[in-house]
Amino acid sequence: QVHQFFTTCDLDPEMRAAAPSSLGLLQDLDASKCRQAFVSVASQVQSSQLQQDVAETLRSLGIELTEESMDPATGYTLDIRINPFALAKVLPTAKSLTALLSMPRIALEVDGPFHFRMRTQQPLGSTILKRRHLRAIGYKLVSVPYWEWDKLKSRADKTRYLLDCLADDK
């Protein structure tokens, strides 16, 4: 959590300005230790069956992806990182070549139940912060919540869902 706070201060000038001046000293002393601890914990996460199903659906479309890769700027582990150029094969009418070439990096987060408050669809603070940080450094972030994925029964429904999410300009 301390690493996430330091990352917020690095990405948000207003937050940095509002922080006490002693923060700089603390960050100078402890930022690398906090990052190492954060990355160490994040690297122990394993892919869920849900994530494997999403990744397999994307692969079946010929989409180039990497699972469980670390973003070097933030230390976050990305569930699925997608090569934007690979989308040209599956979204030829939804995106022009120019739009694809200028598309930001794409991260797809497969959000299981532990990303949300118990028995709700409200994301936890850590999930909100991760999304905010990744968007701030230029990722197009696609979230696949478990309750939406669980409703999809056929491979065709799952494929259509993912293509719609990826084609969305949000």
Side-chain angles (χ1 to χ4, degrees):
Q1 290 175 339
V2 175
H3 171 69
Q4 288 178 305
F5 175 71
F6 287 155
T7 300
T8 299
C9 289
D10 289 343
L11 295 174
D12 185 344
E14 290 180 20
M15 177 67 94
R16 180 70 171 190
S21 58
S22 58
L23 174 68
L25 178 60
L26 178 64
Q27 194 169 11
D28 290 343
L29 294 173
D30 290 335
S32 67
K33 290 179 187 175
C34 292
R35 181 184 170 90
Q36 287 172 351
F38 181 81
V39 169
S40 174
V41 169
S43 68
Q44 295 173 15
V45 174
Q46 294 184 1
S47 298
S48 66
Q49 184 60 47
L50 171 65
Q51 180 178 323
Q52 291 171 17
D53 191 30
V54 172
E56 182 53 39
T57 302
L58 290 168
R59 282 190 187 99
S60 73
L61 295 169
I63 295 177
E64 211 177 300
L65 61 90
T66 307
E67 289 186 79
E68 301 299 335
S69 66
M70 186 188 73
D71 174 72
T74 61
Y76 284 113
T77 299
L78 307 175
D79 290 343
I80 299 172
R81 184 188 307 233
I82 298 173
N83 179 341
F85 298 104
L87 292 180
K89 297 175 202 171
V90 295
L91 297 175
T93 58
K95 301 280 182 188
S96 69
L97 183 57
T98 305
L100 280 172
L101 292 174
S102 64
M103 188 178 269
R105 298 171 288 177
I106 301 170
L108 192 143
E109 289 294 302
V110 181
D111 293 331
F114 295 110
H115 289 267
F116 301 92
R117 291 182 55 203
M118 192 178 297
R119 292 185 291 278
T120 75
Q121 294 179 357
Q122 297 174 333
L124 296 173
S126 59
T127 298
I128 293 169
L129 204 49
K130 179 178 184 179
R131 291 173 181 174
R132 184 179 302 155
H133 289 162
L134 291 174
R135 285 185 179 116
I137 62 168
Y139 277 93
K140 171 186 168 95
L141 187 64
V142 176
S143 173
V144 177
Y146 72 95
W147 66 85
E148 289 183 6
W149 190 258
D150 288 349
K151 288 180 193 175
L152 306 170
K153 299 304 176 197
S154 70
R155 178 65 73 182
D157 289 342
K158 292 175 180 182
T159 298
R160 192 171 20 260
Y161 174 85
L162 289 174
L163 290 175
D164 287 348
C165 288
L166 291 167
D168 190 356
D169 285 336
K170 290 182 188 175

